[in-house]
Amino acid sequence: MKKLIALLLVMAMVFALVACGGSKKANADSIPDTMESKDGVYKVAFVTDVGQLKDKSFNQGTYDGVKLYASENNLSYKYYQPANGDQATDDDRYDAMKAAADAGAEVIVCAGFMQAGALERAAKEFTGVKFVFIDGWNMGLSNVAGIAFKEEQPGYFAGYAAVKEGYTKLGFSGGGGGTNPAVNRYGYGFVQGANDAAKELGIKVDVKYTYQYGASFAASNELQTLISGWYQNGTEVVFSCGGSIFQSITAAASANDGLVIGVDVDQSPDSDTVITSAMKGLASAAQWAIGKAYDGTWAEIGGNGTSLGVKEDAVGLPTATWSLKNYKASDYESLYKKVLDGSVTIDDQAPEADGIASVSFSNVVIYYE
């Protein structure tokens, strides 16, 4: 028990920046994405999820943590993007991990649940390498640490904030085609938060909800056209939940005087349409887990699955940069404490794809597309 308490205290210190809106992103931006190792050895490696490295979301947020840890500890680092882009196979992902191991990686950080098959194969082959599985789970392998997040919590905060700010016509556009657990949790939490806020205000809220054109997390003209239609028909703010689809959604927002909620990291610097972001501490989580590989405490997370949320200050909204006016930071902090102490509960059993349409909400009407 003492060991567990000590671990939680350390984690709380590491993730404290998230809930209060702090970020190490600016420091990470000053660190080059690529470096030249004199001996050809790259000790800390990152294997990207689908989408681009600089997606201003999931990949970029995770790699920020890789760069920060490596830079601060004088370690060589390199990123690997699996071949064939959004059509990458398990073999493509394995090849990227093998390339990292062959280049001398001591720690390989893999982003996204789609890495699972390749990661398990690589971890069994390269037993001397430690693998950090972001958005992953316990594989029962001592050299794999699964790090997941309770995305329903920041999703809830974002939906609640949007309605309290005064918006009643919301949208959710998710990546992964409805099969990505993290995205599904974000969306389900978003609707729950909107519903609870609407219930408190005694109003009804409409939510348009879709996974169309987001399966590969890539920007597309089709998605931009869809979201433009939403804005033109009254939608006020859309939760952009999925890597580079952010580019399509903010483009639609800019053309139609619409607003956007970002995801994973604080996306407000990337578009003036962003009013807030549902964040999880990707950079901090990556730094923390890599550190375990070097400070002699890997056994605390290796062979286990760790899920991070409000108890570890690992999720939240960026109050320092949001543009909300009616919903105050003090109101958000009060809600955060209620989730922390359990007086507000959030269902974490997110339905896949169109299953959301069958869930009954008292004050939200869902229009699933």
Side-chain angles (χ1 to χ4, degrees), residues 167 231 236-239 249 253 257-261 272-275:
Y167 302 114
Y231 286 127
E236 297 163 303
V237 56
V238 174
F239 184 12
I249 294 171
D257 295 323
L259 300 171
V260 176
I261 293 171
D272 58 11
T273 65
V274 174
I275 57 173

Side-chain angles (χ1 to χ4, degrees), residues 284-358:
S284 295
Q287 287 178 270
W288 173 76
I290 297 168
K292 293 290 183 183
Y294 287 102
D295 68 6
T297 60
W298 176 261
E300 294 177 352
I301 61 172
N304 294 310
T306 304
S307 185
L308 309 173
V310 295
K311 288 184 178 179
E312 297 79 29
D313 282 334
V315 298
L317 304 182
T319 58
T321 60
W322 74 17
S323 59
L324 303 178
K325 295 179 174 60
N326 300 322
Y327 186 59
K328 306 300 183 183
S330 57
D331 298 325
Y332 163 68
E333 291 162 4
S334 176
L335 177 63
Y336 196 98
K337 290 177 181 177
K338 290 178 181 178
V339 174
L340 182 61
D341 67 23
S343 56
V344 169
T345 59
I346 305 168
D347 186 4
D348 62 357
Q349 300 302 306
E352 290 191 5
D354 59 356
I356 189 72
S358 65

Side-chain angles (χ1 to χ4, degrees), residues 21-43:
S23 173
K24 292 189 177 181
K25 185 175 185 298
N27 290 335
D29 285 343
S30 69
I31 302 170
D33 291 330
T34 59
M35 67 165 296
E36 191 68 34
S37 171
K38 292 181 180 179
D39 59 3
V41 172
Y42 295 91
K43 293 187 176 181

Side-chain angles (χ1 to χ4, degrees), residues 10 13 30 46 50 68 77 80 83 158 171 186 189 208-209 214 217 241 247 250 257 265 275 286-287 312 319 357 366:
V10 170
M13 292 173 65
S30 69
F46 174 58
V50 291
L68 283 163
Y77 61 92
Y80 299 79
Y186 267 130
K208 290 187 175 180
Y209 202 101
F217 295 89
C241 193
Q247 298 166 19
T250 53
D257 295 323
V265 298
I275 57 173
Q287 287 178 270
E312 297 79 29
T319 58
I366 295 178

Side-chain angles (χ1 to χ4, degrees), residues 25 33 46-67 79-82 85 109-113 115 134-135 216-218 242-244 263-265 267 280 282-283 286:
K25 185 175 185 298
D33 291 330
F46 174 58
V47 178
T48 66
D49 193 16
V50 291
Q52 297 301 307
L53 175 72
K54 307 299 283 189
D55 60 1
K56 299 180 180 179
S57 184
F58 186 62
N59 281 327
Q60 187 170 340
T62 306
Y63 193 46
D64 281 353
V66 173
K67 292 194 300 179
Y79 75 89
Y80 299 79
Q81 290 190 272
V109 179
C110 302
F113 81 110
Q115 306 274 12
I134 300 291
D135 268 7
S216 67
F217 295 89
S244 295
V263 75
D264 288 340
V265 298
Q267 294 188 304
K280 54 189 182 185
L282 292 166

